[in-house]
Amino acid sequence: MKTKFLKALFLLLTVGYTVIAQERLKYNTLEDKIDNYLSQSVVNGYSGSVLVVKKGEVILSKGYGWADRSKKVPNSSSTVFNIGSVTKQFTAAAILKLMEGEKLEVSDKIEKYFPQAPSDKKDITIHQLLTHTSGISPSTGGFRYDKASKETFLNDFFGAELMYGPGTKHTYANANYILLTAIIEQVAQQDYETYLRKNFWAPLQMDHTGYKGIAFDSEQLAHGYYFHYTDGEWRDWGTTQEHLPYNNEHWYSIGKGDIYSTVEDLYTWHLALENNKVLSAETKRLMQEAHVPENETETSFYGYGWAIFNSRSNSKIVAHNGSNGIYFADFLRFVEDDLVIIALSNIILNQQSENVAWEIASMVMDKEYRPKTIPKNTYELVFDFIRNNPPEKADELSQFIEDKTGAPINDKALLNRIGFKQVSENRDTDWGISLLKLNTHLFPGDGNLWDSLGEGYYVLNDRANAIESFAKAIELGSDTNCYWCKNGKKRLEELKNK
């Protein structure tokens, strides 16, 4: 009996050790480390597709979360996302392709293509547009999904005041790449999407990359999602194609962003660049050259449609990210380490959800690195707290947020937006006032927040507290022309006359 017992115990321990060893082995493989990080983040709302390739070996190519929540369509490696400003590399490549065909030169001045260009802009070169050194302001042009003809945009561009002389320094501005698109269409005598499809996407069989036209199952398009902080719920924004103008009045969007693609197609594009299939080696070098510094410390540079910088080991990184405020895309190419990481998402939770590609890069480069799970959206966390606690516990909210996100509340707008909406729309007014009060405790020197608290009390007809809050706002106003000072003085006069 003793022998049988010992044998049984040995088998039990052996099996148990084997299971533990297998579990440890599982999470010691890079693929499963990355997958575990992303899968745990899905619980908090992360949603997207990720591809990681090291030295030609696909480490991970997988979707996470939902492409369409209502229809329960999951994200996959073939799901189609809006790639935001990752679009700019295709616009730059189109310009360089035309250069290779001797149709233009990057040294050309825009007066050559637009004789109507005013004197302060006529000498802007294509190179300066490509590197964001034209001097044009980031505010030039309208909202990306508003209707605007090419003529409307050109009038905006040529009528705008330059921030500084062309070629002086780098300031990232989308209008540069919209103007490049107008040049592409004029020189190629084709519309932007047709030129890109004919010269790049079709030859490379990038069948799920485009701008407006789609020729595949629309269920492959990922819906974008955003948190509605008035109602405290996630909303379906739909797809980009539902927001772009149906006609050709898309000139606040085109060329700078809103191309759609998949992680698979973008990896195909990377391989084509690496193997000089779409641009010559010399042209590719020009595209990926660190032309101008993006910052004063010169730790980051801009090429043509790519940002250029060095890794911790001083190897070259060619990368770009992009977003329309709903989707987020990151395309990292460690060209000397032969590492590619592409992360596309149809939801933005927080800064951590925008750092996915970089966190994965750290995991690849450092075997001991363990990223923290992406937390929930902070607005959602506030609603989680207020739905489960009375307003009397408002002073515990800050610690709750810090425990969940790893950082204290540092966004002054967070509680201000939620609190004022709760009061002004007569929802949970007790919690609304509590949030506004808490915000003034967290940031006591901000007059604007005291003005918001005063407005909250004003809406609730709490005269005494409204007067006290507006007086505090005025006291903190360093500028006599500050807008909250004017509002506070107006409200005080009104309240004192009641």
Side-chain angles (χ1 to χ4, degrees), residues 92-347:
I95 287 288
L96 293 174
K97 191 73 173 177
L98 290 168
M99 182 194 75
E100 287 187 339
E102 299 182 350
K103 300 291 182 63
L104 56 75
E105 295 292 338
V106 294
S107 59
D108 287 347
K109 296 177 180 180
I110 64 172
E111 183 184 28
K112 176 178 179 180
Y113 306 98
F114 308 106
Q116 75 272 33
S119 58
D120 64 329
K121 301 180 183 71
K122 64 183 179 64
D123 291 335
I124 292 172
T125 65
I126 289 177
H127 167 82
Q128 290 165 352
L129 296 173
L130 286 164
T131 56
H132 298 285
T133 55
S134 68
I136 202 72
S137 167
S139 64
T140 304
F143 177 61
R144 67 196 309 144
Y145 300 125
D146 285 348
K147 288 184 178 181
S149 66
K150 185 185 294 187
E151 182 181 5
T152 298
F153 168 73
L154 292 176
N155 288 337
D156 288 347
F157 190 98
F158 294 135
E161 183 177 350
L162 292 181
M163 298 173 65
Y164 43 77
T168 305
K169 66 176 183 176
H170 168 96
T171 298
Y172 190 92
N174 284 317
N176 289 307
Y177 274 70
I178 300 178
L179 192 64
L180 286 170
T181 304
I183 293 173
I184 291 166
E185 292 200 345
Q186 184 181 142
V187 174
Q189 290 297 292
Q190 287 180 315
D191 69 81
Y192 175 75
E193 184 170 18
T194 298
Y195 183 82
L196 291 177
R197 194 173 302 283
K198 179 180 178 182
N199 288 277
F200 302 142
W201 303 330
L204 296 173
Q205 297 183 322
M206 294 171 62
D207 299 328
H208 293 85
T209 300
Y211 177 51
K212 291 170 76 172
I214 61 171
F216 50 83
D217 185 350
S218 62
E219 286 201 352
Q220 291 180 270
L221 290 165
H223 286 228
Y225 293 92
Y226 68 98
F227 192 77
H228 193 278
Y229 63 79
T230 300
D231 295 332
E233 64 184 21
W234 286 98
R235 296 275 180 89
D236 185 341
W237 182 78
T239 64
T240 309
Q241 286 65 36
E242 295 169 333
H243 292 266
L244 286 167
Y246 287 106
N247 54 27
N248 63 358
E249 295 188 342
H250 44 226
W251 283 85
Y252 287 150
S253 159
I254 194 167
K256 68 168 187 176
D258 291 314
I259 277 179
Y260 60 79
S261 193
T262 69
V263 293
E264 294 171 336
D265 272 11
L266 291 177
Y267 183 62
T268 296
W269 175 247
H270 160 77
L271 290 176
L273 288 173
E274 286 298 291
N275 296 319
N276 308 317
K277 286 187 175 180
V278 291
L279 298 172
S280 71
E282 179 59 25
T283 303
K284 180 184 70 176
R285 184 200 63 75
L286 185 64
M287 185 186 206
Q288 298 177 175
E289 183 178 333
H291 290 291
V292 296
E294 290 188 295
N295 50 40
E296 292 182 0
T297 58
E298 298 192 2
T299 54
S300 176
F301 296 80
Y302 207 81
Y304 288 167
W306 291 100
I308 318 295
F309 31 87
N310 290 337
S311 70
R312 293 174 187 172
S313 60
N314 211 34
S315 62
K316 185 176 182 178
I317 303 172
V318 179
H320 213 294
N321 62 19
S323 175
N324 70 339
I326 303 290
Y327 298 85
F328 186 81
D330 221 344
F331 193 170
L332 311 185
R333 299 167 60 223
F334 293 72
V335 292
E336 294 173 356
D337 297 306
D338 199 4
L339 170 66
V340 179
I341 302 170
I342 305 169
L344 307 179
S345 178
N346 55 332
I347 194 169

Side-chain angles (χ1 to χ4, degrees), residues 34-47:
I34 298 170
D35 184 60
N36 186 48
Y37 157 61
L38 295 172
S39 296
Q40 288 181 353
S41 298
V42 168
V43 177
N44 290 332
Y46 180 72
S47 179

Side-chain angles (χ1 to χ4, degrees), residues 395-451:
D395 59 346
E396 298 177 18
L397 175 58
S398 298
Q399 190 59 52
F400 173 79
I401 296 296
E402 187 166 356
D403 290 343
K404 295 293 184 180
T405 66
I409 295 174
N410 52 29
D411 180 2
K412 298 177 182 180
L414 174 67
L415 302 183
N416 212 42
R417 288 171 176 168
I418 298 175
F420 192 74
K421 283 290 186 180
Q422 294 299 306
V423 175
S424 63
E425 298 193 4
N426 197 29
R427 293 171 182 263
D428 191 332
T429 55
D430 289 340
W431 252 117
I433 284 293
S434 294
L435 293 176
L436 293 173
K437 286 174 64 178
L438 175 59
N439 219 22
T440 61
H441 292 159
L442 294 175
F443 308 101
D446 192 311
N448 181 42
L449 302 185
W450 284 97
D451 181 69

Side-chain angles (χ1 to χ4, degrees), residues 61-109:
S61 182
K62 188 175 178 181
Y64 296 87
W66 301 108
D68 186 336
R69 293 183 178 188
S70 63
K71 294 182 178 179
K72 301 298 181 186
V73 179
N75 282 319
S76 71
S77 56
S78 59
T79 299
V80 178
F81 297 83
N82 182 315
I83 64 172
S85 287
V86 174
T87 293
K88 289 182 172 67
Q89 64 193 257
F90 292 109
T91 304
I95 287 288
L96 293 174
K97 191 73 173 177
L98 290 168
M99 182 194 75
E100 287 187 339
E102 299 182 350
K103 300 291 182 63
L104 56 75
E105 295 292 338
V106 294
S107 59
D108 287 347
K109 296 177 180 180

